[in-house]
Structures are given as structure tokens and as C-alpha cells.
């Protein structure tokens, strides 16, 4: 796991934690600006099963949670944003406008999520789903360096998300990753939504060089993605309807 000092070598004002939910192999990321007494914080891709753990950590660290962000409408777990808002109504839930999911704030490419003097830049990276976005720490002398990219399922460590449902497109995913992620500085840390092999972090430079499918030409990549023959996601029929309403499972039947 990447250490705080490694992830924010030029900015002690960023507090960063990488958390894991083992059933769905999902990473949740906690970021906070600790240069202000309020210590504003945000969570990226919270999971319903680990909300209590995450909120307990936030309390222990003396942080004020302001945002709960999703990179996309997940098909393998229920987001924790609905539960978080039930306990902390002032927290702002965030997802892309293109996802067509409910949230307090719908973001598009170029938008910024500001917490203290730090911010996350929104980059549209559709392809795994039509509404995928990548959140990237800001560019500038007063922002963390190296930068951090929270890539959801668009770019995994030595892999990428499947493209056979939820408006997915292998052609679109290839273009998204190459134009929106691989154009970032090569030392940018890559933090995906999942890992199934025990990896916790990569870099843009590593993925440009070693990613086994995205290093191929576009035609070869499409052929690979179209012949994966993956099984139907076991949580999809529960997770997608719930996540379209901010993870509020008890409201699914009413929608």
C-alpha cells in the first residue's frame, strides 16, 4: 500500500488513505486537506458494507466529510453514498451527469471538486460504462505531486474494466484511457476501483509500458475485449438499480 508520504511528497496538507472491501475487491479512497481547522475530506467509491469503518476512521482522524464520490454506477457492489447521507445529511453525493444516476451533484469533464485548497479534476473516461469518470488531483505548485488519478474501472492495474454492459464500448474505452489518462504525467499514481491480484497502486508510465491489453493497437484491443467471455456479474441485478438511486437499497422497489 502506498504510504502517505509517498503519495503526497510535496504537500503535507494532503491526508490520504487507501481502504479495501474484500468481498468485491473494491478500493475506497479517503482524501483530506489538513491545512485548515475543519480538515475537509472526501471519499471516492465508498462501499455500503464498509461505511461504518470509513466513518469511524474519519472521526478518529478529526476530519469533516464533505463529499462522497462515485467513479461510475457500479455493478459489483452497492455504493455507500446513500448510507453515508442517511447518517450525515450534509455530505454531498457526487456522480457523473452521464451516469443518469441520482446524486446531489452531477459532474462533467472539466469540473472541479474542491476540498480546502486542494481539488480533484473531473475527466470523462467512458467505455466501461457510459458514465465513467476519472478524478485526478489538481495541477499546480500548491497541489500534491506526483498527481493521483482515481480511475474507477476504466483503467485497472495491468488491466481495464469489461465493456459488455451498461453502455460499454471497447472502442470508447480505448480512446478514453489513451486521451484522458495516458496523457497525464508518467509519474502520476494510478488508483483503480478494484484489484484482484494483490496490487494497490501503479503509475501512468507503468501502465503505458506494461498494461497487457491497452498497449496494443485499437483494433487488437477491441478483439481482446469482445472475446473475454465473462460471466454475468453476480451482484449486477441488485447493485445497478440501487446505485442508480445513490445506493439507497430500501428505495429500489419504489423506483
Amino acid at each position: 500500500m502506498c504510504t502517505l508520504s509517498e503519495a503526497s511528497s510535496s504537500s503535507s496538507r494532503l491526508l490520504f488513505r487507501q481502504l479495501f472491501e474484500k468481498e468485491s475487491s473494491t478500493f475506497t479512497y479517503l482524501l483530506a486537506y489538513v491545512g485548515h481547522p475543519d480538515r475537509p475530506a472526501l471519499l471516492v467509491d465508498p462501499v455500503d458494507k464498509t461505511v461504518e469503518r470509513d466513518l469511524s476512521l474519519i472521526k478518529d482522524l478529526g476530519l469533516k466529510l464533505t463529499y462522497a464520490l462515485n467513479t461510475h454506477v457500479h455493478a459489483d457492489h452497492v455504493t455507500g453514498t446513500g448510507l453515508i447521507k442517511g447518517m450525515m445529511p450534509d455530505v454531498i453525493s457526487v456522480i457523473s451527469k452521464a451516469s443518469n444516476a441520482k446524486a446531489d451533484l452531477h459532474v462533467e469533464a472539466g469540473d472541479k471538486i474542491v476540498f480546502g485548497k486542494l481539488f480533484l479534476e473531473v475527466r470523462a473516461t467512458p467505455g466501461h460504462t457510459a458514465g465513467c469518470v476519472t478524478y485526478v488531483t489538481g495541477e499546480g505548485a500548491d497541489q500534491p505531486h506526483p498527481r493521483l488519478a482515481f480511475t474507477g474501472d476504466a483503467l485497472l492495474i495491468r488491466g481495464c474494466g469489461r465493456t459488455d454492459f451498461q453502455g460499454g464500448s471497447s472502442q470508447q474505452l480505448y480512446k478514453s484511457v489513451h486521451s484522458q489518462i495516458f496523457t497525464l504525467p508518467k509519474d502520476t499514481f494510478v488508483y483503480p476501483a478494484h484489484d484482484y491480484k494483490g496490487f494497490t497502486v501503479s503509475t501512468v508510465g507503468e501502465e503505458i509500458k506494461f498494461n497487457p491489453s491497452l498497449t496494443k493497437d485499437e483494433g487488437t484491443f477491441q478483439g481482446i475485449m469482445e472475446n473475454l467471455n465473462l460471466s454475468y456479474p453476480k451482484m449486477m441485478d441488485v447493485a445497478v438499480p440501487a446505485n442508480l438511486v445513490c445506493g439507497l437499497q430500501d428505495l429500489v422497489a419504489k423506483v
Side-chain angles (χ1 to χ4, degrees), residues 55-166:
L55 295 185
S56 177
L57 176 61
I58 287 168
K59 182 179 179 181
D60 288 347
L61 296 175
L63 309 176
K64 180 181 179 180
L65 185 62
T66 55
Y67 292 101
L69 292 69
N70 281 294
T71 53
H72 63 291
V73 173
H74 303 276
D76 49 14
H77 69 271
V78 175
T79 179
T81 51
L83 294 177
I84 290 170
K85 285 191 62 64
M87 291 180 273
M88 305 176 69
D90 291 339
V91 173
I92 299 170
S93 59
V94 182
I95 201 165
S96 72
K97 183 177 180 180
S99 71
N100 293 315
K102 291 187 178 180
D104 298 317
L105 177 63
H106 292 98
V107 293
E108 298 179 277
D111 288 345
K112 293 180 180 179
I113 305 295
V114 178
F115 55 113
K117 293 185 178 180
L118 304 178
F119 67 90
L120 295 181
E121 168 195 332
V122 178
R123 293 191 171 210
T125 49
H128 169 61
T129 74
C132 287
V133 294
T134 291
Y135 300 105
V136 187
T137 53
E139 184 176 19
D142 59 344
Q143 301 298 310
H145 180 79
R147 299 175 75 181
L148 288 67
F150 302 96
T151 57
D153 286 18
L155 177 63
L156 305 178
I157 298 172
R158 307 299 193 267
C160 63
R162 60 195 293 177
T163 59
D164 57 335
F165 58 78
Q166 288 183 272

